């Protein structure tokens, strides 16, 4: 088990890590820094580009293997989605199929991320259904679970809005991430409709990701965007009114490591999309905790919702949970569970979490050493201790 300062204990000194990722990505760099800070050799890096071109990769029986994001690399994106501009929104279904296939080509090692869990986490419809079945509070959705409605385009979205009395909803690509292709849709009297999104529609109709959040007020334009996204699969969720800080919509990203909520950040925005890369900014976590307690709820219960969500994926060490606090701060629902939701540089652990003074990567290294330390040559009692396939 790692010591309280994040360094490896003597019993774990022989542990070796490997990372499947993009070498230039800061996620890989930050995790490698955390491994070295624990007094261990830097992890062996297996590039996603090599995995995809070579048809897989193998790992030693004692290697602790972290799967990291294949994003933010143009060549890897091309191998997964095919030719085209990296900024394009289309192609997420092909990306998903390629990613899941690639996970199956990784052989051996002790995995920190389960391939089956990742396949669910990257399908919003399946993920929502798993959470709902486990009793985790989630926004209502007609596109997950038994009897899920297919969505072939805007006409289906409009019909489901009427049928389920959802005048405000989020339309999400089933296999998207980082708010790519997400539309916050709201209808009003007189048939008026508006969508807020980071999607930029080019003159030729092609859809691209943008760092600028924009609004579309003409239904034909909104319909064209949804119709273009629909072949990759769409997930619909009721738009829940969220809490606010200083007049800005607020939600939380909570990182859960080894089943415990260890890190949290409040995200605020003037738009419905709170992602930090889309102009959102960090809010006041202490103020959020105080608002929860002033409303008569317990902060531990709020974090507990995130831990219950993570428990649906027991063979994956770390997930990032997007938590949607209600307007009164008394209740909260889970909007997303992110496989690669730990990129919160310089953020240290929550008081009482056991990760005080550690960033998200150091917390994972310590947890991995605890679960996969060499003193357990036959495996560990924790659910994560299943050898890679």
């Amino acid at each position: 088990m790692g010591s309280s300062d994040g360094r490896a204990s003597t019993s774990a000194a022989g542990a070796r890590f490997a990372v499947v990722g993009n070498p230039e990505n800061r996620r890989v760099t930050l995790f490698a820094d955390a491994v070295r800070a624990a007094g261990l050799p830097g992890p062996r890096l297996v590039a996603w580009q090599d995995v995809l071109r070579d048809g897989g990769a193998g790992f030693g029986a004692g290697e602790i293997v972290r799967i990291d994001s294949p994003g933010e690399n143009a060549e890897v994106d091309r191998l997964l989605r095919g030719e085209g501009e990296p900024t394009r929104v289309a192609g997420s279904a092909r990306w998903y199929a390629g990613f899941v296939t690639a996970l199956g080509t990784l052989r051996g090692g002790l995995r920190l991320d389960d391939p089956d869990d990742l396949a669910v986490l990257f399908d919003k419809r399946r993920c929502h259904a798993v959470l709902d079945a486990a009793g985790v509070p989630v926004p209502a959705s007609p596109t997950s679970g038994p009897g899920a409605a297919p969505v072939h385009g805007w006409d289906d979205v409009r019909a489901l809005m009427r049928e389920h009395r959802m005048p405000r909803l989020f339309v999400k690509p089933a296999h998207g991430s980082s708010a790519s292709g997400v539309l916050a849709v709201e209808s009003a009297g007189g048939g008026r409709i508006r969508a807020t999104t980071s999607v930029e529609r080019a003159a030729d109709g092609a859809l691209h990701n943008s760092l600028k959040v924009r609004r579309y007020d003409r239904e034909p334009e909104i319909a064209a965007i949804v119709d273009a996204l629909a072949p990759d699969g769409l997930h619909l969720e009721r738009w829940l009114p969220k809490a606010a800080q200083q007049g800005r919509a607020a939600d939380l990203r909570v990182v859960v490591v080894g089943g415990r909520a260890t890190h949290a950040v409040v995200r605020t925005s003037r738009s419905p999309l709170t992602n930090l890369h889309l102009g959102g900014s960090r809010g006041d976590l202490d103020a959020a905790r105080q608002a929860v307690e002033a409303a008569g709820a317990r902060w531990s219960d709020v974090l507990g919702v995130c831990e219950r969500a993570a428990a649906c994926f027991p063979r994956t060490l770390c997930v990032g949970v997007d938590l949607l606090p209600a307007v009164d701060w008394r209740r909260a629902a889970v909007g997303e569970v992110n496989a690669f939701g730990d990129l919160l540089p310089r953020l240290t652990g929550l008081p009482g979490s056991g990760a005080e003074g550690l960033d998200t990567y150091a917390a994972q290294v310590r947890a991995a050493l605890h679960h996969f330390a060499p003193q357990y040559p036959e495996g560990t009692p924790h659910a994560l201790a299943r050898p890679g396939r």
Side-chain angles (χ1 to χ4, degrees), residues 200-212:
E200 180 178 1
R201 188 165 179 258
D204 62 358
L207 307 182
H208 294 272
N209 284 309
S210 168
L211 295 179
K212 177 184 177 183

Side-chain angles (χ1 to χ4, degrees), residues 121-333:
L121 288 166
F122 274 96
D123 187 325
K124 297 183 193 302
R125 300 162 299 191
R126 294 176 64 191
C127 185
H128 185 281
V130 167
L131 296 171
D132 193 34
V136 176
V138 287
S141 171
T143 55
S144 74
V151 181
H152 301 294
W154 177 245
D155 288 344
D156 290 338
V157 172
R158 270 301 219 175
L160 290 168
M161 290 173 69
R162 290 190 296 268
E163 179 183 348
H164 293 271
R165 298 182 180 179
M166 298 170 64
R168 302 170 81 237
L169 78 162
F170 281 89
V171 179
K172 303 179 178 181
H175 309 297
S177 60
S178 302
S180 173
V182 172
L183 294 92
V185 177
E186 48 194 325
S187 57
R192 290 175 297 164
I193 197 93
R194 181 171 71 178
T196 304
T197 180
S198 62
V199 172
E200 180 178 1
R201 188 165 179 258
D204 62 358
L207 307 182
H208 294 272
N209 284 309
S210 168
L211 295 179
K212 177 184 177 183
V213 175
R214 63 197 70 220
R215 288 187 172 90
Y216 294 91
D217 297 302
R218 297 180 57 252
E219 186 165 355
E221 275 193 300
I222 298 169
I225 293 172
V226 172
D227 288 344
L229 293 172
D232 282 324
L234 291 175
H235 175 58
L236 311 184
E237 288 182 350
R238 186 179 298 278
W239 178 346
L240 300 178
K242 286 194 293 191
Q245 277 193 358
Q246 298 183 337
R248 296 164 62 92
D251 63 17
L252 289 90
R253 166 64 60 84
V254 179
V255 177
V256 181
V257 178
R260 192 165 188 180
T262 56
H263 299 73
V265 64
V266 177
R267 307 182 302 183
T268 71
S269 177
R270 298 196 183 281
S271 88
L273 306 178
T274 58
N275 301 69
L276 299 179
H277 72 285
L278 295 178
S281 54
R282 291 193 183 188
D284 189 328
L285 187 63
D286 287 337
R289 178 182 56 77
Q290 291 165 11
V292 167
E293 294 171 349
R298 296 190 301 181
W299 181 242
S300 60
D301 290 342
V302 170
L303 297 179
V305 172
C306 302
E307 292 172 351
R308 288 165 55 197
C312 294
F313 308 97
R315 298 185 186 279
T316 293
L317 179 70
C318 176
V319 295
V321 180
D322 290 346
L323 194 70
L324 315 176
V327 172
D328 60 6
W329 289 96
R330 286 181 57 85
R331 303 174 311 282

Side-chain angles (χ1 to χ4, degrees), residues 106-127:
L106 303 176
R107 306 174 301 277
L110 299 169
R111 305 291 182 82
L112 300 183
D113 315 84
D114 180 72
D116 293 336
D117 283 354
L118 293 176
V120 174
L121 288 166
F122 274 96
D123 187 325
K124 297 183 193 302
R125 300 162 299 191
R126 294 176 64 191
C127 185

